[in-house]
């Protein structure tokens, strides 16, 4: 009778690993679906910023397009218009503008 009681008690206790396994799966899913792609995207953005040189057109995080006048370690000098130069932090540069962006922005629109 005592052996039966121990067997019933062991069957009633849930396995600790079976309780932790769903949480491990959720974390792994979040890592591969959210964290890892963001890290890869940020690494690519930092590489793009480090390769910027004088004359490259960039898109700032504020939505303004400009031309790099003086690249720096932490501060870039950007020309927004003729004679209008601003200093922006390295993190303010969102992307390198496509090659055709300058021509499309300056071309008059036919109405």
């Amino acid at each position: 009778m005592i052996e039966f009681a121990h067997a019933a008690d062991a069957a009633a206790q849930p396995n600790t690993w079976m309780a932790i396994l769903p949480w491990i799966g959720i974390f792994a899913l979040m890592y591969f679906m959210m964290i890892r792609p963001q890290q890869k995207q940020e690494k690519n953005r930092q590489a793009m910023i480090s390769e910027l040189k004088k004359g490259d057109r960039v898109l700032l995080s504020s939505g303004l397009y400009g031309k790099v006048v003086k690249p720096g370690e932490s501060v870039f000098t950007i020309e927004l218009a003729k004679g209008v130069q601003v200093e922006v932090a390295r993190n303010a540069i969102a992307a390198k503008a496509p090659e055709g962006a300058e021509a499309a922005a300056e071309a008059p629109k036919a109405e």
Side-chain angles (χ1 to χ4, degrees):
M1 196 61 113
I2 294 173
E3 292 176 13
F4 177 72
H6 286 301
D9 189 34
Q13 292 178 348
N15 188 352
T16 306
W17 286 107
M18 294 307 276
I20 295 175
L21 194 61
W23 290 104
I24 293 172
I26 290 170
F27 179 75
L29 183 67
M30 285 182 60
Y31 177 77
F32 285 108
M33 296 295 287
M34 295 173 62
I35 298 170
R36 191 166 179 243
Q38 286 180 350
Q39 288 176 341
K40 185 177 179 182
Q41 184 180 17
E42 183 62 22
K43 185 177 178 181
N44 290 340
R45 192 179 79 78
Q46 290 297 333
M48 178 271 306
I49 290 174
S50 66
E51 294 172 357
L52 286 176
K53 58 189 180 301
K54 184 177 179 181
D56 286 343
R57 287 193 43 88
V58 294
L59 172 64
L60 301 178
S61 59
S62 61
L64 298 173
Y65 284 94
K67 190 184 315 182
V68 176
V69 175
K70 183 177 135 190
E73 187 67 31
S74 61
V75 177
F76 281 69
T77 303
I78 307 293
E79 183 178 44
L80 299 176
K82 280 192 175 178
V84 180
Q85 294 182 356
V86 294
E87 289 184 345
V88 298
R90 178 183 191 99
N91 290 337
I93 298 174
K96 187 174 179 181
E99 296 298 323
E102 183 174 344
E106 294 176 2
K109 296 182 181 179
E111 292 183 26

